[in-house]
Amino acid sequence: MRYSLGSLLLNAFTGQRHWNPAWRSPDPKPHYDVLIVGGGGHGLATAHYLAKHHQVGRIAVLEKGYVGSGNVGRNTTLIRSNYLLPGNTAFYELSLKLWEGLEQDINFNAMVSQRGIINLCHSDGQRDAYMRRGNAMHLNGVDAEWLDAEAVRALLPQFNYDNARFPIKGGLMQRRGGTVRHDAVAWGYARAASQRGVDIIQHCEVTGLKIENGMVKGVETTRGPIEAGKVALAGAGHSSQLAAMAELRLPIESHVLQAFVSEAIKPVIDHVVTFGAGHFYVSQSDKGGLVFGGDIDGYNSYAQRGNLPVVEDVMESAMALWPALGRLRVLRSWGGVMDMSMDGSPIIDHTPIENLYLNAGWCYGGFKATPGSGYCFAHLIAKDEAHPTAQQLRLDRFQTGALIDEKGVGAQPNLH
Amino acid sequence: MRLTCPYCGPRDSREFTYKGDATRIRPADDDKMFDYVYVRDNPKGLHQDYWLHQPCRNWLVVERNTATHEVTSVTAAAQREAKP
Amino acid sequence: MTGFRIGTPPTLDQSKVLRFRFDNKIYHGFAGDSLASALIAHGVRLVGRSFKYHRPRGFLSAGIEEPNGLLSVGEGARLTPNIKATMQPLYDGLVAQSQNRWPSLQFDMMGVNDWFANLLAAGFYYKTFMWPASFWEKVYEPLIRRAAGLGQAANLPDPDHYAQGNLFCDCLIIGSGPAGLIAALAAGRAGLRVILCEQDFVLGGRLLHEGDSFLSLSTQDWLTETLQELESLPTVRIMKQTMVFGHYDGGTYGAIEHNAAYSMATSAQEPRQIFWRIVAKQSILAAGAIERPHLFPNNDRPGIMLGSAVRSYLHRYGTACGHSTLVYTSQDDGWQTAFDLKKAGLAVIAIADTRSMIPQHLEAQAWQYDLPILKNACVTETTGRLSLNSVTITHEGGRETFQCDTLAVSNGWTPTLHLTSHQGSKPIWDASRHMFLPSKMQQGLLCAGAANGAMGLGECLASGLTAANRMLEQLDKQPQKIILPETPAPVLQTASFFHPTQTGKAFVDFQHDVTTNDIHLAYQEGYRSIEHLKRYTTLGMGTDQGKTSNMAGLAIMAELCGQTPDAVGTTVFRPPFEPIAIGALAGHHEGKHFRTTRLSAAHSVWEKEGAVFVEAGQWLRPQYFPKKGETHWRETVDREVVTTRQSVGLCDVSTLGKIEITGKDALAFLDFVYCNPLKSLAVGKTRYGLMLREDGFVYDDGTIARLEDNRFVITTTTAQAVGVMNHLDFCHQVHKPHWDVRMVSVTEQYSQFAVAGPQSRALLERVIGQQIDLSDEAFPYLACKEFSLAPHIKARLFRLSFSGERAYELAIPAPYGEVLAQTLITAGQDFGLTLYGTEALGVMRIEKGHSAGNELNGMTTAGDLGLARMVSKSKDFIGRVMAQRPALTDPDRPQLAGFRPVQPQDQFAAGAHVFSKNVPHSIEYDEGYLTSVAFSPICGSLIGLGLIRNGPQRHGEVIIAYDSMRGRKTELEIVSPCFYDPEGVRLNG
């Protein structure tokens, strides 16, 4: 049933009887034309755009847990396209544009909230870097504006201006940046893809890839073998494990990123803000909880949990920026597994195995990329050539040196 | 997380600096340099990591499970037998 | 005493009367009361409104699991929202307010939401508010945000402070109930270092909340005796009001202690809370269990409470929760509530049990008390808007409505095992006992008592002892024999969970208003995994973290799916177990103390000289030194530059990283870590060095000074000082472990001053001329030397120039830095010395075209910076191979160039992108950007450095600096990056 005010009213008066499952849960068929491995945001978005824009036959998404159990189900929900480097800026802008029309496209309210994101600046060098970035954004047709210290203070009077270790000297603002209700993205794409005939198969773990003569033929799963014309990997933090099934080694390390939610309170902050003198960013969810996070823990991990040093680091930055947070309490924390690439930017490309495609290396920025990633990955799978916007997100850029290293820290994933 | 420095004893991880996969040895052969710098096994399970114990300045090789964070051994990198 | 206060338990000190305010009305209670018990003692039933439907709510519990009784406590900047009144110790002068209601708790306008409950079912917001798209941010979202949230935060700087500490122990025991106390006793007697943490402000756990539970002695006597012994044991530390919130790797636990010494009066000295990192070899979780409510229509009215809570208020606080109570239970436990109330002389209307078979001994006891028994009972309706009026029950005898003001509900217990899953193990479903139990696969963490499913008191004590002895065994200690006090038989059975499939709309999660209907809807729409259920309905996402609701939600979903609860999935609990203050985790790292402030040894001198300081990483460095009459920082900086270039300037460069390197292989090592050749570096000479990362990009630059054959001192940039030191240690210990090299950072051990300008030699001769020959023959450009400045004071002099002028850098052990700075200033007066800061330093290096942080941004190659010729082709060094990749050697890469405005007065700034003339300003035509821009008093205009495609080949070309962020387009000429003295004659000027 299509979601609308009418269907909501109808159900309100009929005991909610008319709602169907948001997506079908069929048993896996023996053969698909395209198999997408990974039922997270990227995998589901890929399925949706494949089904919507390309004629590729039968599509299935295989998910080892439940739909959205990966990073799309545990992140700090930010969307933005305030990137510096060619290769990133246009790609994330495509993604942001898709966010802007997402809800009407998939008929699911994911609460895309363009409340504006502000990166705070604390030194002249940082200001120059933000100006360079802001100009790059403009050149790509992306909105960006500079806020001087007074303008920041007027917008965010609750911050520490008078006793700060690293005074706020301004900020780079992207008004179109914001937040999205993350689970709804997974569910909305799953529902939309399912309605277009995509089989979404939960609790089906891929345990092996069937490869003959350098060409992928299908997958082994916990629910039996499935043959496929094309196989697309969208395994996020577990990309290295999937690639290993094809005897591929990736320029990726898996790291843990923690995030936090406070108890729910009445609105206290209207924007997304990142602190420039420490690892901290914050926004407030519509339910009232502050959603915030910081740096990755910094060691290889698949454990989905982190440790106290980073917890404390985040809280210290929180207090340094916003001293009123002292009495507010952390309600929940979690850890997600990040596929940290060697230059901090993602990969959407063919693999050396024919008909095997890779979508990986999203670091801690995968959520905002969800629609763009799905859109470009679908294009690659369907046409066997990179979408123009994602052309630079190549796997061989590490060999050629055409890196997309926004932070300039080199082949050291825990510093990106 | 706590790591046992062979020189200083068990210490909190906040005393250490991390540098990733310690099975990587800088190759003499130029053709292998790309793999050394960029490619990782990234296993889910036993992993050898380089960690620097800041106070005593020793780079250590820590054998640790990436799925559980359990640490099984710590040795000084400089004391490690050179691999061919 | 009020009508509801009926006893004088030892945990209350009725000689200490405490006054407090709730919603602007004054009440009083006693020392030992919780805020909740004091309110209940006054007959206050309505304390809050629920999150979504704004339904009137009263206290459900007496502890940590409370979903309803959330109050804002404190005033002004100390206003703290969402405090569980059941956990808040009462203090004199406490001010509390109810939340989430307007205009008042009794009459809340938002209560209309309840009328539209059908429309506001789980997930309704995912299905609407989509049209038109722009309305979300403007209309819908602000409305939703205002309606959501619970309390109002003060949003003022927290006036209190927080402390932190580390604790180490053999054994951490969490919970001071019977199991925890016995375990602590055993461990303490065995001589282990024990830490016993109790989140409550009184020790004893469940023992405090029950009547006398032992056969031959009173609970109080046993508690007193046990606590006395524990306190007498030298290795046992007891920490009250200390919440262990998280279990981290390596036996590390996080705990928050609510400092008992803190009050408004002591807040200047005493921290409000203390965050403890506790490292334990072994630990025992004895955190007890939480009772489950019943599901029936309108099961959330004020007056419907957990049976265990009714007993808690009775025994611990001497307070009746109401005048007439009906007990509704699915197991033996509820009968205890009825008996206890009766024993206290309170009215019990009936005991309604969902079972048809009741143990004989209970029925017999009920008859003694003259208690009506309703078997096969099921509550079907309740009435009472702001307080419970009646309960309708169907039972064996038919359907009856009872007038009562309290309904005590008992529906089994859920072990408090959260901490056991923080390390990733999943609880195990015990089908026979209808509860999740801790997994046995715990690293260093044992469970005891009710947390481990041992619900009876005797079983609980025994389990505490068993856990302690298992732990002692693991730590190679003798197990302890403790004679446990006798407990009554038969044991009450507490192992069932009653949840009829068709309950009608009943609340499962009280705080978030998740009902049984919502769970049915989630099932219907395919959100069936426990995680989907939670996320779709928001079950268990409130500040009570689902302590009373998760189990019911899971059980209902399992039944709908025809599976066991564990098949639907167990919720993975994550830290924190209980919401904890952000301030406590930050400790003293706030305000100016957020990060260390590093000061150079001569800082006080610069302060005295009127420096304006700037943050350079953690360092504070003089930015410029304004003189009287100077009205603008630029005026000051211009003077500093001109004076330095004309006579002499002094600058503190102590923040540069300084590393001493010695050993037979030191030179070979340096030759390996820098990309330029160093083998020919003679003793007494310095050389500029460029370090690459292994990926071939520039990492850092600095100087290498060869003081002796096998002794070097190198400098790094301020920003990379720590990183380079780590890197060099890595290169040595990992790449070249057999080389004879030793390294130590001496950044903080030496003060270093740049003395620059044509008069620099004259000035230095006056100060150190006796100690060192400064003639150009003896000490030419790039010379270095260690010399005795005074007996026992070894100084180092380097003839280096960042400014382009004749210049020296003088290094001296840091304790003498202040004196030397002062001496140089005094001596410099005759030479017209100026002090200069980072601004003038930057201007002069831009004038000379030297790269610094803005150019060494981690994305540039040696070639980009015009340093390609430096890179050795004949040696191995870090970064050699990767630097040869095609994209790094592409001739089209932007390269360093200088820029000056075509019109000298024109403004431009770093961060502008550069374009050829007459091309559109879009990304396809982007040719590079400006890295550093400053006003050059020598050139009389702004000058810049930047990276532009083919820069070195385009000198003389006019391009556009496009800076839409600042709204500027400026015509610039590409020039050589060296604006000043390109021949370098001033180095000897």
Side-chain angles (χ1 to χ4, degrees):
Chain A
M1 171 175 274
R2 203 182 143 71
Y3 293 160
S4 67
L5 198 56
S7 63
L8 209 61
L9 281 168
L10 168 70
N11 275 284
F13 291 113
T14 55
Q16 315 287 349
R17 268 202 317 274
H18 298 280
W19 299 122
N20 308 321
W23 56 87
R24 297 171 295 112
S25 297
D27 284 327
K29 299 182 179 66
H31 178 271
Y32 289 92
D33 295 294
V34 177
L35 268 184
I36 296 163
V37 182
H42 290 220
L44 295 165
T46 305
H48 167 70
Y49 292 115
L50 259 181
K52 186 177 175 201
H53 296 302
H54 307 281
Q55 269 45 49
V56 292
R58 285 178 145 173
I59 306 164
V61 177
L62 306 181
E63 167 53 48
K64 73 173 171 183
Y66 55 92
V67 156
S69 55
N71 291 342
V72 75
R74 53 188 96 243
N75 64 72
T76 44
T77 79
L78 304 190
I79 58 167
R80 59 185 173 91
S81 61
N82 55 359
Y83 281 78
L84 168 69
L85 296 178
N88 273 340
T89 324
F91 171 77
Y92 285 100
E93 177 61 12
L94 168 72
S95 201
L96 189 54
K97 289 224 170 78
L98 289 166
W99 282 121
E100 286 170 335
L102 180 76
E103 291 150 338
Q104 288 67 31
D105 181 11
I106 62 176
N107 181 232
F108 202 102
N109 187 358
M111 305 179 200
V112 175
S113 168
Q114 294 183 285
R115 50 182 73 183
I117 178 165
I118 300 166
N119 303 117
L120 296 176
C121 159
H122 308 265
S123 73
D124 290 354
Q126 203 168 27
R127 179 202 57 215
D128 293 346
Y130 280 152
M131 290 297 186
R132 179 188 170 202
R133 199 203 303 185
N135 282 323
M137 290 162 68
H138 286 175
L139 294 172
N140 279 285
V142 180
D143 72 302
E145 64 194 89
W146 177 251
L147 304 177
D148 61 18
E150 288 71 40
V152 173
R153 192 167 188 160
L155 274 184
L156 300 157
Q158 63 271 59
F159 289 171
N160 184 357
Y161 296 92
D162 302 323
N163 182 37
R165 173 72 180 82
F166 300 104
I168 296 167
K169 296 192 171 175
L172 176 68
M173 182 171 194
Q174 184 183 23
R175 290 198 187 264
R176 287 165 59 243
T179 59
V180 179
R181 168 80 186 104
H182 57 99
D183 288 319
V185 176
W187 303 336
Y189 272 126
R191 177 167 166 269
S194 174
Q195 283 173 353
R196 289 182 186 275
V198 174
D199 283 358
I200 290 163
I201 302 161
Q202 301 185 90
H203 304 291
C204 178
E205 183 173 358
V206 172
T207 53
L209 291 172
K210 204 166 119 196
I211 294 165
E212 289 166 13
N213 303 322
M215 184 187 282
V216 72
K217 297 286 189 187
V219 301
E220 303 288 336
T221 78
T222 47
R223 296 175 69 173
I226 306 174
E227 287 182 2
K230 294 178 173 183
V231 177
L233 307 179
H238 287 77
S239 293
S240 296
Q241 271 69 48
L242 293 175
M245 293 173 189
E247 292 178 2
L248 297 173
R249 297 169 77 229
L250 299 180
I252 283 175
E253 287 180 4
S254 293
H255 284 257
V256 59
L257 176 70
Q258 301 189 65
F260 309 86
V261 176
S262 81
E263 58 193 323
I265 46 171
K266 296 293 177 195
V268 286
I269 187 165
D270 295 331
H271 303 89
V272 183
V273 177
T274 73
F275 184 37
H279 296 282
F280 177 68
Y281 54 95
V282 63
S283 64
Q284 188 171 16
S285 79
D286 289 343
K287 245 166 53 195
L290 294 180
V291 182
F292 58 102
D295 201 5
I296 54 174
D297 265 41
Y299 43 80
N300 284 53
S301 172
Y302 288 91
Q304 291 200 339
R305 59 186 156 79
N307 276 294
L308 280 172
V310 164
V311 176
E312 293 169 35
D313 186 72
V314 170
M315 305 304 158
E316 289 165 8
S317 298
M319 281 299 283
L321 178 64
W322 188 355
L325 294 183
R327 306 183 95 78
L328 213 65
R329 286 166 298 167
V330 185
L331 180 61
R332 277 195 306 280
S333 73
W334 65 92
V337 184
M338 307 291 124
D339 36 338
M340 299 298 297
S341 73
M342 289 288 154
D343 63 356
S345 293
I347 298 157
I348 301 179
D349 205 353
H350 302 94
T351 69
I353 312 285
E354 210 174 322
N355 293 338
L356 182 66
Y357 305 86
L358 177 69
N359 173 313
W362 293 98
C363 301
Y364 41 76
F367 179 70
K368 71 178 84 68
T370 305
S373 165
Y375 193 86
C376 293
F377 201 33
H379 184 281
L380 173 75
I381 295 162
K383 304 200 184 252
D384 256 314
E385 62 184 39
H387 186 273
T389 314
Q391 254 167 2
Q392 295 181 55
L393 307 179
R394 301 165 63 95
L395 182 55
D396 70 1
R397 68 174 186 269
F398 303 94
Q399 266 108 339
T400 62
L403 304 161
I404 312 171
D405 185 353
E406 294 263 338
K407 278 201 182 167
V409 293
Q412 180 78 32
N414 65 336
L415 301 181
H416 282 291
Chain B
M1 195 180 321
R2 291 176 69 77
L3 302 172
T4 302
C5 170
Y7 303 98
C8 310
R11 297 300 171 97
D12 193 275
S13 65
R14 73 189 71 214
E15 290 186 10
F16 298 81
T17 299
Y18 185 79
K19 204 180 161 70
D21 188 343
T23 60
R24 298 178 307 126
I25 306 288
R26 191 173 191 269
D29 181 351
D30 285 4
D31 292 339
K32 295 185 176 151
M33 190 60 90
F34 171 73
D35 270 18
Y36 164 73
V37 176
Y38 281 105
V39 182
R40 303 285 188 272
D41 284 333
N42 193 22
K44 183 173 185 172
L46 273 192
H47 187 252
Q48 289 184 31
D49 323 310
Y50 287 122
W51 295 79
L52 169 67
H53 190 216
Q54 288 283 359
C56 77
R57 311 268 349 134
N58 279 289
W59 277 96
L60 309 173
V61 176
V62 175
E63 191 181 66
R64 192 177 56 93
N65 189 316
T66 58
T68 64
H69 296 172
E70 190 190 0
V71 176
T72 38
S73 80
V74 185
T75 47
Q79 304 302 319
R80 178 170 57 163
E81 285 305 304
K83 286 185 184 165
Chain C
M1 250 204 229
T2 63
F4 292 86
R5 192 78 81 174
I6 55 161
T8 54
T11 37
L12 275 192
D13 181 354
Q14 303 210 356
S15 68
K16 282 195 195 137
V17 177
L18 310 174
R19 286 160 59 87
F20 70 102
R21 224 163 67 200
F22 170 61
D23 277 355
N24 300 318
K25 200 173 155 196
I26 299 208
Y27 298 89
H28 67 267
F30 302 115
D33 257 327
S34 71
L35 176 52
S37 70
L39 284 169
I40 287 172
H42 283 274
V44 175
R45 323 210 92 199
L46 175 66
V47 292
R49 291 277 178 165
S50 65
F51 191 87
K52 190 158 140 191
Y53 302 131
H54 289 249
R55 286 173 65 98
R57 292 282 167 78
F59 294 112
L60 176 72
S61 78
I64 193 169
E65 67 271 36
E66 179 60 33
N68 295 336
L70 305 180
L71 303 180
S72 293
V73 174
E75 289 177 295
R78 287 195 169 83
L79 175 77
T80 313
N82 307 337
I83 294 285
K84 289 173 186 161
T86 50
M87 292 176 74
Q88 172 66 51
L90 192 66
Y91 57 82
D92 199 45
L94 185 150
V95 178
Q97 296 256 323
S98 57
Q99 305 183 148
N100 206 33
R101 78 288 185 272
W102 186 84
S104 76
L105 190 54
Q106 280 69 27
F107 178 75
D108 176 10
M109 295 286 279
M110 292 293 281
V112 298
N113 281 5
D114 204 15
W115 304 351
F116 296 108
N118 285 341
L119 204 55
L120 307 182
F124 77 97
Y125 30 75
Y126 298 125
K127 298 168 181 159
T128 184
F129 301 133
M130 285 181 268
W131 316 272
S134 64
F135 266 40
W136 177 253
E137 286 88 350
K138 293 196 191 105
V139 181
Y140 304 131
E141 187 175 49
L143 280 174
I144 290 175
R145 285 191 71 191
R146 236 172 293 151
L150 284 164
Q152 181 92 46
N155 212 9
L156 293 168
D158 189 347
D160 289 322
H161 68 280
Y162 301 84
Q164 302 187 331
N166 298 300
L167 291 172
F168 297 85
C169 62
D170 297 316
C171 169
L172 169 67
I173 294 167
I174 301 157
S176 72
L181 287 176
I182 282 290
L185 205 57
R189 283 184 186 173
L192 293 187
R193 291 176 305 157
V194 176
I195 293 175
L196 174 63
C197 288
E198 168 56 54
Q199 54 89 9
D200 204 328
F201 54 96
V202 185
L203 299 169
R206 195 63 217 162
L207 289 174
L208 301 170
H209 302 245
E210 302 289 354
D212 273 333
S213 310
F214 299 114
L215 271 188
S216 49
L217 76 172
S218 81
T219 300
Q220 191 54 43
D221 289 347
W222 186 82
L223 253 180
T224 310
E225 192 185 309
T226 307
L227 291 174
Q228 267 171 5
E229 182 179 350
L230 279 176
E231 275 157 21
S232 74
L233 291 170
T235 59
V236 175
R237 174 171 179 157
I238 300 172
M239 301 174 77
K240 279 195 277 195
Q241 278 198 276
T242 303
M243 172 75 66
V244 178
F245 66 80
H247 178 197
Y248 296 90
D249 288 318
T252 306
Y253 293 79
I256 299 288
E257 178 179 359
H258 292 260
N259 181 14
Y262 164 88
S263 69
M264 288 276 278
T266 63
S267 64
Q269 301 84 40
E270 288 291 337
R272 179 173 172 243
Q273 297 174 7
I274 306 162
F275 164 45
W276 295 104
R277 305 175 198 100
I278 304 176
V279 179
K281 287 185 187 153
Q282 293 283 333
S283 34
I284 294 176
L285 178 68
I290 290 168
E291 199 171 24
R292 305 160 181 160
H294 270 285
L295 302 170
F296 50 84
N298 291 310
N299 59 341
D300 63 329
R301 297 192 190 280
I304 301 176
M305 299 174 74
L306 294 172
S308 59
V310 171
R311 298 209 296 270
S312 295
Y313 289 113
L314 179 66
H315 295 301
R316 177 171 170 180
Y317 302 108
T319 299
C321 291
H323 295 300
S324 55
T325 304
L326 198 146
V327 172
Y328 181 39
T329 184
S330 61
Q331 53 218 289
D332 299 2
D333 199 69
W335 295 69
Q336 189 69 52
T337 311
F339 300 155
D340 285 6
L341 289 172
K342 273 294 200 184
K343 252 187 256 175
L346 292 162
V348 179
I349 307 292
I351 176 154
D353 197 314
T354 59
R355 299 173 294 182
S356 49
M357 301 289 291
I358 312 289
Q360 270 272 287
H361 68 100
L362 294 178
E363 287 207 44
Q365 235 177 315
W367 282 324
Q368 275 176 22
Y369 284 118
D370 203 13
L371 261 172
I373 300 170
L374 314 174
K375 293 185 191 174
N376 235 341
C378 185
V379 174
T380 53
E381 189 48 282
T382 65
T383 64
R385 198 173 69 85
L386 300 180
S387 173
L388 183 68
N389 273 337
S390 76
V391 177
T392 303
I393 296 177
T394 58
H395 59 100
E396 275 182 354
R399 182 185 154 104
E400 272 181 274
T401 298
F402 299 87
Q403 302 299 313
C404 58
D405 63 5
T406 306
L407 179 65
V409 294
S410 293
N411 200 10
W413 295 76
T414 299
T416 307
L417 44 68
H418 305 65
L419 282 172
T420 67
S421 86
H422 286 186
Q423 284 290 292
S425 17
K426 286 200 168 162
I428 299 161
W429 177 245
D430 183 329
S432 67
R433 294 200 281 173
H434 295 268
M435 56 176 70
F436 280 101
L437 291 175
S439 145
K440 300 278 177 259
M441 302 295 291
Q442 295 291 318
Q443 280 288 327
L445 177 65
L446 300 167
C447 288
N452 204 29
M455 293 300 167
L457 179 56
E459 203 192 341
C460 192
L461 289 163
S463 127
L465 185 58
T466 308
N469 280 335
R470 259 184 67 195
M471 177 194 65
L472 286 168
E473 227 167 89
Q474 276 165 16
L475 296 171
D476 290 326
K477 298 273 183 188
Q478 275 298 315
Q480 295 290 306
K481 288 202 175 73
I482 295 178
I483 297 164
L484 303 174
E486 280 184 89
T487 52
V491 177
L492 297 185
Q493 295 306 311
T494 57
S496 70
F497 180 52
F498 179 74
H499 56 100
T501 323
Q502 293 305 326
T503 51
K505 182 171 140 187
F507 286 87
V508 179
D509 182 324
F510 291 81
Q511 192 177 112
H512 270 174
D513 284 339
V514 179
T515 67
T516 44
N517 286 358
D518 292 325
I519 296 171
H520 282 260
L521 180 59
Y523 170 79
Q524 185 184 329
E525 294 194 83
Y527 300 99
R528 294 176 188 181
S529 124
I530 180 66
E531 288 294 332
H532 280 162
L533 172 65
K534 271 173 59 182
R535 290 150 190 263
Y536 193 62
T537 64
T538 75
L539 173 81
M541 308 287 253
T543 59
D544 58 331
Q545 293 159 319
K547 289 185 174 75
T548 55
S549 61
N550 280 339
M551 183 56 221
L554 197 56
I556 296 166
M557 182 57 82
E559 201 154 286
L560 290 169
C561 296
Q563 290 173 318
T564 55
D566 53 330
V568 175
T570 49
T571 299
V572 178
F573 300 106
R574 302 177 188 282
F577 165 62
E578 178 57 22
I580 46 173
I582 290 171
L585 289 169
H588 58 270
H589 294 273
E590 42 91 35
K592 290 278 187 205
H593 302 291
F594 166 49
R595 290 289 177 258
T596 311
T597 302
R598 298 174 76 184
L599 304 178
S600 94
H603 185 80
S604 63
V605 178
W606 314 135
E607 233 171 10
K608 208 174 68 202
E609 296 291 334
V612 171
F613 292 95
V614 64
E615 296 80 18
Q618 292 184 342
W619 293 96
L620 273 189
R621 295 187 71 180
Q623 188 175 16
Y624 52 94
F625 293 85
K627 279 201 167 163
K628 246 200 203 132
E630 289 175 342
T631 55
H632 190 269
W633 66 270
R634 257 278 310 287
E635 194 182 350
T636 306
V637 173
D638 288 356
R639 172 185 48 78
E640 291 173 8
V641 170
V642 170
T643 312
T644 301
R645 294 223 182 280
Q646 284 173 359
S647 50
V648 60
L650 172 63
C651 181
D652 190 344
V653 293
S654 305
T655 61
L656 291 180
K658 299 183 274 298
I659 300 169
E660 253 184 77
I661 302 176
T662 63
K664 261 199 342 276
D665 299 311
L667 183 61
F669 179 73
L670 290 169
D671 204 43
F672 173 61
V673 296
Y674 284 98
C675 72
N676 49 318
L678 293 174
K679 283 271 166 66
S680 58
L681 181 65
V683 174
K685 287 287 183 193
T686 57
R687 187 173 291 175
Y688 176 73
L690 192 66
M691 244 179 229
L692 306 187
R693 295 187 307 233
E694 195 70 278
D695 69 355
F697 291 89
V698 173
Y699 181 29
D700 198 45
D701 69 349
T703 58
I704 302 107
R706 191 170 193 181
L707 297 173
E708 292 169 24
D709 224 15
N710 291 329
R711 185 149 165 267
F712 299 79
V713 58
I714 68 166
T715 63
T716 76
T717 58
T718 302
Q720 300 288 5
V722 173
V724 168
M725 186 67 212
N726 295 350
H727 172 67
L728 294 189
D729 274 326
F730 184 82
C731 290
H732 173 221
Q733 295 171 33
V734 175
H735 297 330
K736 307 288 181 191
H738 303 301
W739 284 11
D740 176 24
V741 180
R742 272 142 293 163
M743 276 172 282
V744 64
S745 162
V746 292
T747 304
E748 288 177 335
Q749 280 67 27
Y750 278 87
S751 284
Q752 193 153 320
F753 304 107
V755 183
Q759 297 289 335
S760 56
R761 176 172 152 192
L763 167 58
L764 282 177
E765 268 175 343
R766 179 160 313 170
V767 178
I768 57 172
Q770 301 291 312
Q771 288 82 15
I772 184 167
D773 180 357
L774 287 166
S775 69
D776 281 355
E777 298 69 42
F779 206 75
Y781 179 57
L782 293 178
C784 68
K785 191 167 179 164
E786 191 165 53
F787 66 100
S788 289
L789 187 61
H792 314 297
I793 303 179
K794 284 247 165 98
R796 291 161 184 177
L797 190 67
F798 311 89
R799 182 127 175 230
L800 295 167
S801 176
F802 203 44
S803 58
E805 304 294 336
R806 168 188 288 275
Y808 301 82
E809 288 190 13
L810 179 56
I812 185 170
Y816 307 104
E818 196 177 335
V819 176
L820 179 62
Q822 195 56 63
T823 309
L824 288 165
I825 291 171
T826 311
Q829 278 171 0
D830 291 350
F831 302 95
L833 174 85
T834 181
L835 300 176
Y836 68 94
T838 54
E839 290 294 333
L841 187 80
V843 171
M844 289 191 277
R845 72 100 188 164
I846 294 170
E847 286 176 336
K848 283 300 292 176
H850 293 311
S851 293
N854 284 9
E855 290 77 31
L856 305 178
N857 59 12
M859 305 179 215
T860 45
T861 66
D864 297 348
L865 303 179
L867 302 172
R869 272 177 308 161
M870 273 180 70
V871 181
S872 169
K873 300 207 165 36
S874 58
K875 65 166 186 179
D876 187 28
F877 58 88
I878 296 285
R880 174 180 59 87
V881 180
M882 289 293 103
Q884 295 165 26
R885 285 179 287 171
L888 278 77
T889 51
D890 183 349
D892 262 358
R893 285 182 71 87
Q895 283 177 278
L896 189 72
F899 297 86
R900 67 194 317 163
V902 174
Q903 303 298 326
Q905 71 280 9
D906 276 0
Q907 299 293 307
F908 62 102
H913 287 239
V914 287
F915 288 85
S916 292
K917 281 184 88 169
N918 308 319
V919 298
H921 297 143
S922 69
I923 196 69
E924 302 81 46
Y925 297 93
D926 191 9
E927 294 204 88
Y929 68 103
L930 298 178
T931 52
S932 305
V933 175
F935 180 82
S936 163
I938 302 296
C939 302
S941 74
L942 287 171
I943 58 169
L945 297 177
L947 297 160
I948 185 166
R949 197 162 296 160
N950 292 319
Q953 285 81 51
R954 293 167 69 177
H955 293 180
E957 184 181 331
V958 172
I959 53 88
I960 304 292
Y962 182 80
D963 191 350
S964 48
M965 284 293 286
R966 298 179 179 98
R968 278 204 292 247
K969 273 185 246 179
T970 316
E971 285 198 338
L972 303 179
E973 182 191 344
I974 304 178
V975 296
S976 155
C978 185
F979 293 84
Y980 176 72
D981 182 29
E983 296 79 24
V985 295
R986 309 272 311 166
L987 291 170
N988 289 307

